[in-house]
Amino acid sequence: MSADGFPPPGARADWTIDQDWAAYTPAEHQVWMTLYERQAKLLPGRACDAFLHGLDALDLHRGGIPDFSRINEELDRLTGWRVVAVPGLVPDAMFFEHLANRRFPAGRFIRRPEQLDYLQEPDIFHDVFGHVPMLTDPVFADYMQAYGEGGLRALGRGQLHNLARLYWYTVEFGLLETSEGLRIYGAGIVSSHAESIFALDDPSPNRLGFDLERVMRTPYRIDDFQQVYFVIPSLQALLDATLQDFAPIYQRLSGAADIPIAAIEAGDRVLTRGTQAYAVAKGVSQVSA
Ligand code: PHE
Ligand code: FE
C-alpha cells in the first residue's frame, strides 16, 4: 500500500498514469488469459456470488488484459466506482483518497510468464481480477469507500497499523459464510490459484468468526499463505460493523496487546481449529500462544 514522496516522473499529482492499453504485447495478454482461465475454472463454488457476478458483469475475459476505459463504463454504471492506473504502490494518504472517492488504484504491469504463481508486488491481475469484481457489489462498494474515509482519519491519528489489519483480513483475505459453505471474497485469495484451494480446504489455517477488534489486534503475514482467516456472515454485516466511529476502538487498542497470529482466544468463534502443519513445515515461530 505504501510508497513515499513525490509521484514518479510521468505520473500526475494524484499518482495516476494512463493505462496505455495499446502498449501491451501479445505475450502480456496471453499471461492474463492463462491466469484468467485457470481461476475462472477453479472459482465457481469457491468464490462468493458477488465476486462471480462481478466477473461476469465486467466481462474481464474479452481480449486479454482489460482496457480500463471499457470496464469503467460498466463499473461506474453499477456502483459509481472506477479503476485508475498507478505506477505501483502509492502513499497511504493517496491510496485512501482514491478509495474515498470511489477510485480503485490498480497497477498496470502484468507479471512475467515465469511468475504465474507468485510475485511480491500487486500487478494488474491481482488488482483488477482480484479486487474489481467485488466493487460491482453495492454493499462492498460502500465498504471500500468507507474504508478510504476511515483510512484518512486513522492516518491523522497514527492508528494505521490497526486499520491495515482490517483491510488485510477482509479486502485481501476475507472468507464469507453462506448456507452452501465457506466462500472467498478476498482479492489476495481469488487472484492466487494455490491459496484459493488452501484457504478453503487445507486443515492447516485457523478459520475464525470475524470480530472487528479481534482482527485489528491480529498481525498478518505477507510472504506466504495465511495462518488465520476471518469469516464474515455477510457483506452487510461487515459494512455494519464499520459504521461506528473507530476513535474509541483505537483508544482501547493502543493499550491492548497483539494476539499471536495462530492463537485461538476464549471469545473466538472457531470454524476450523487449524493444525498449523503448513506453517510449522515452513518453520514459522509464532505457532501457538
Ligand atoms: N468507521 C470507521 C471510522 O470511524 C471508518 C471505517 C469504515 C473504517 C469502514 C474501515 C471500514 O474511522
Ligand atoms: Fe490487493
Side-chain angles (χ1 to χ4, degrees), residues 142-151 153-154 157 163 166 212 216 238-239 241-247 250:
D142 285 353
Y143 174 68
M144 285 291 273
Q145 178 185 349
Y147 188 92
E149 293 163 351
R153 282 195 297 272
R157 291 190 185 112
L163 194 66
L166 177 63
L212 184 67
M216 286 178 142
L238 174 62
L239 179 60
T242 57
L243 292 179
Q244 60 185 307
D245 180 6
F246 283 10
Y250 293 142

Side-chain angles (χ1 to χ4, degrees), residues 115-191:
Q115 298 174 303
L116 287 193
D117 291 314
Y118 185 76
L119 79 170
Q120 191 101 38
E121 252 209 295
D123 71 341
I124 191 171
F125 188 75
H126 168 80
D127 281 340
V128 174
F129 182 95
H131 285 281
V132 175
M134 287 303 292
L135 294 173
T136 65
D137 181 87
V139 174
F140 195 82
D142 285 353
Y143 174 68
M144 285 291 273
Q145 178 185 349
Y147 188 92
E149 293 163 351
L152 290 170
R153 282 195 297 272
L155 196 58
R157 291 190 185 112
Q159 293 293 351
L160 217 51
H161 62 289
N162 294 125
L163 194 66
R165 291 166 175 178
L166 177 63
Y167 190 91
W168 191 264
Y169 283 119
T170 60
V171 178
E172 295 291 356
F173 290 96
L175 296 180
L176 169 71
E177 198 170 19
T178 76
S179 55
E180 273 139 16
L182 295 186
R183 293 291 184 271
I184 307 161
Y185 72 95
I189 309 177
V190 285
S191 61

Side-chain angles (χ1 to χ4, degrees), residues 17-267:
I17 54 177
D18 290 330
Q19 185 191 11
D20 198 9
W21 186 80
Y24 291 116
T25 65
E28 288 174 321
H29 286 298
Q30 190 52 53
V31 170
W32 175 281
M33 298 295 273
T34 302
L35 290 166
Y36 182 99
E37 277 159 21
R38 194 166 67 155
Q39 288 310 86
K41 212 180 297 166
L42 179 66
L43 291 176
R46 290 185 180 271
C48 70
D49 285 347
F51 178 89
L52 295 171
H53 288 148
L55 203 55
D56 275 352
L58 296 172
D59 196 8
L60 291 181
H61 196 201
R62 192 171 60 191
I65 296 172
D67 182 341
F68 293 172
S69 63
R70 176 179 71 77
I71 57 179
N72 279 340
E73 276 179 40
E74 186 61 11
L75 187 56
D76 189 26
R77 198 182 66 74
L78 289 169
T79 57
W81 273 81
R82 307 179 57 73
V83 183
V84 292
V86 291
L89 297 177
V90 305
D92 292 327
M94 196 52 72
F95 181 72
F96 296 138
E97 184 72 31
H98 282 300
L99 296 186
N101 289 284
R102 294 197 174 232
R103 292 187 301 263
F104 189 79
R108 85 176 162 187
F109 79 98
I110 191 152
R111 66 196 72 181
R112 295 189 308 272
E114 65 274 18
Q115 298 174 303
L116 287 193
D117 291 314
Y118 185 76
L119 79 170
Q120 191 101 38
E121 252 209 295
D123 71 341
I124 191 171
F125 188 75
H126 168 80
D127 281 340
V128 174
F129 182 95
H131 285 281
V132 175
M134 287 303 292
L135 294 173
T136 65
D137 181 87
V139 174
F140 195 82
D142 285 353
Y143 174 68
M144 285 291 273
Q145 178 185 349
Y147 188 92
E149 293 163 351
L152 290 170
R153 282 195 297 272
L155 196 58
R157 291 190 185 112
Q159 293 293 351
L160 217 51
H161 62 289
N162 294 125
L163 194 66
R165 291 166 175 178
L166 177 63
Y167 190 91
W168 191 264
Y169 283 119
T170 60
V171 178
E172 295 291 356
F173 290 96
L175 296 180
L176 169 71
E177 198 170 19
T178 76
S179 55
E180 273 139 16
L182 295 186
R183 293 291 184 271
I184 307 161
Y185 72 95
I189 309 177
V190 285
S191 61
S192 158
H193 187 79
E195 197 153 359
S196 294
I197 298 168
F198 179 89
L200 294 179
D201 297 348
D202 203 280
S204 186
N206 296 333
R207 297 180 185 86
L208 306 176
F210 176 85
D211 175 87
L212 184 67
E213 290 185 41
R214 191 341 174 164
V215 166
M216 286 178 142
R217 289 174 60 198
T218 311
Y220 55 82
R221 34 190 320 140
I222 60 166
D223 56 341
D224 208 332
F225 298 147
Q226 301 305 301
Q227 287 179 256
V228 55
Y229 297 92
F230 289 97
V231 181
I232 57 169
S234 66
L235 296 171
Q236 187 65 51
L238 174 62
L239 179 60
D240 290 348
T242 57
L243 292 179
Q244 60 185 307
D245 180 6
F246 283 10
I249 298 181
Y250 293 142
Q251 197 139 33
R252 275 198 294 282
L253 292 184
S254 64
D258 281 356
I259 298 172
I261 198 162
I264 293 185
E265 296 244 296

